Amino acid sequence: MSRTPVLSTRALNRATLARQLLLDRADVPPLDAVAHLCGLQAQEPQEPFTGLWSRLRGFQAAELSGLLMDRHVVRTHLMRRTVHLVAAEDVLAWRARHNAMLRQRVLGVYRRELEGVDLDELAAAGRAVLADGEPRSMAELARAVADRWPEPGKRPLGEMLVAGVLAMVQLPPRGVWRTKAGVRNALVSDWLGREVDPLPTDDGSDPDGGSDPVGQALVRRYLAAYGPAATADVRAWSGLAGLPGAVAALRGELVTFRDERGRELLDLPDAPRPDPDTPAPVRFLPAFDNAVLGYDDRTRIIDDADRGLSVTGARIVLVDGRTAGTWDVEAETGTVTVVPLRSFSRADRDAVAEEGRELAAFLSDGESGRVRVAASA
């Protein structure tokens, strides 16, 4: 009887780097990269620029700004109810599959305040306010319906409207390169010119039965960008309940492995799984990067002792493919500063400094190439 192959943590690391375009910078257009990565987490509006700079050869910030202005990518609440920068076609295809999760996540914070509010009526009221086509801040939208629901307070109503019951996008100039702007929201249908795709009548919401074509597409796309991965990783990335019905339907076309902890891992048969000894270059990751947050078990890229960095918004430096330090930028000088989490060899320090100089030049539009690497921990 054949045994399920075991993939070492290092093998999973190299697979992740390859799927995440971090092993070699890719020669693909930014829109293709955003789609391949299933979006970029983007609650910090400028962070996706660093995320793509670290992944794409010759990336220019103006390219991503142009995609946002031209409506090819959008900023929207989606996976895990966090703001993501997502290809327009993907938000249209995926939003309905996330609707129930998004409502429940807002209720998880404001269930008491929103008790007694009919969410379908709230959605209808929000659409009526937005029927004039004018974008609104969350506060403006909440004020417009607060007379009808005075008890919950404006914050719960606003959160549910912009992140729960209505498919909305945050409009540029928010998210444009080196631009500070408040959040103005519009309906996806108004901004992109069509409604989000409805789920099939049998939408697969019952994990024990029914077809779930949207869920199956999500699992395939996730594995292409994050695999090999466990169903718990799919759940941690998406915020959905693991998509068990979709996974069950796909099992016949997937391959399986085990990790060193014994978890079952699923993958696409032809997806890259590089040799574990493949050299990995230094990479600077932005806050809340997909390569770290896209898993329940993040040990393939960050030690458990450092896991807290992945949820506090620390910007991470990868050395030999693993989290080895954090970085930031001095606002006044444009200097990229690196704080090691462990001892750097001389070669590591030189490589970190060189990549840091390139990053400083990118972030300052060529005005700074300064980097400072602190003494090793």
Side-chain angles (χ1 to χ4, degrees), residues 66-353:
L67 291 174
L68 190 64
M69 297 295 293
D70 293 340
R71 312 187 190 198
H72 297 301
V73 300
V74 296
R75 293 172 48 81
T76 187
H77 290 88
L78 201 60
M79 283 73 74
R80 305 183 303 281
R81 197 176 74 88
T82 52
V83 177
H84 276 70
L85 187 74
V86 186
E89 290 301 317
D90 285 340
V91 74
L92 291 166
W94 295 351
R95 168 63 200 228
R97 189 61 178 79
H98 288 74
N99 280 350
M101 177 273 291
L102 292 167
R103 289 189 181 201
Q104 288 304 312
R105 292 242 169 167
V106 178
L107 287 174
V109 180
Y110 297 113
R111 187 175 302 277
R112 180 178 59 82
E113 292 87 344
L114 292 169
E115 185 177 0
V117 175
D118 185 305
L119 297 184
D120 290 336
E121 290 183 10
L122 178 62
R127 289 192 198 94
V129 172
L130 293 162
D132 60 6
E134 290 297 317
R136 287 171 170 82
S137 69
M138 184 176 75
E140 290 169 339
L141 193 54
R143 282 198 298 270
V145 301
D147 286 348
R148 184 168 175 183
W149 291 281
E151 294 299 323
K154 295 183 178 63
R155 183 77 188 191
L157 290 172
E159 291 271 5
M160 182 57 81
L161 285 166
V162 304
V165 296
L166 297 178
M168 305 197 77
V169 295
Q170 298 182 356
L171 302 191
R174 188 163 179 84
V176 170
W177 177 239
R178 302 185 77 181
T179 299
K180 292 183 178 181
V183 178
R184 295 159 54 249
N185 303 282
L187 293 169
V188 168
S189 55
D190 288 344
W191 186 245
L192 297 182
R194 60 175 255 221
E195 299 287 344
V196 300
D197 297 343
L199 287 176
T201 303
D202 181 3
D203 66 3
S205 57
D206 176 1
D208 297 319
S211 62
D212 184 4
V214 180
Q216 291 172 33
L218 279 166
V219 171
R220 290 191 190 96
R221 293 278 298 278
Y222 173 79
L223 291 176
Y226 296 85
T231 55
D233 297 319
V234 179
R235 181 169 58 250
W237 165 74
S238 65
L240 303 172
L243 299 169
V247 170
L250 291 176
R251 276 193 175 274
E253 65 183 67
L254 302 178
V255 293
T256 59
F257 302 93
R258 297 273 175 193
D259 64 14
E260 293 176 330
R261 300 184 177 190
R263 300 189 315 159
E264 181 187 56
L265 305 176
L266 305 172
D267 205 7
L268 304 173
D270 298 326
R273 291 179 287 275
D275 187 296
D277 293 327
T278 302
V282 168
R283 290 289 185 258
F284 282 68
L285 301 184
F288 307 113
D289 192 82
N290 305 45
V292 182
L293 290 189
Y295 302 94
D296 175 57
D297 182 350
R298 299 171 185 169
T299 55
R300 66 180 68 195
I301 202 164
I302 188 169
D303 294 341
D304 279 337
D306 298 321
R307 182 183 172 100
L309 295 173
S310 66
V311 295
T312 58
R315 295 158 163 167
I316 286 170
V317 181
L318 300 181
V319 177
D320 192 28
R322 297 194 60 78
T323 300
T326 61
W327 69 274
D328 211 332
V329 182
E330 293 180 355
E332 293 183 0
T333 66
T335 301
V336 168
T337 61
V338 177
V339 178
L341 295 172
R342 59 171 174 76
S343 180
F344 283 175
S345 69
R346 181 178 294 276
D348 289 344
R349 181 174 288 273
D350 290 346
V352 168

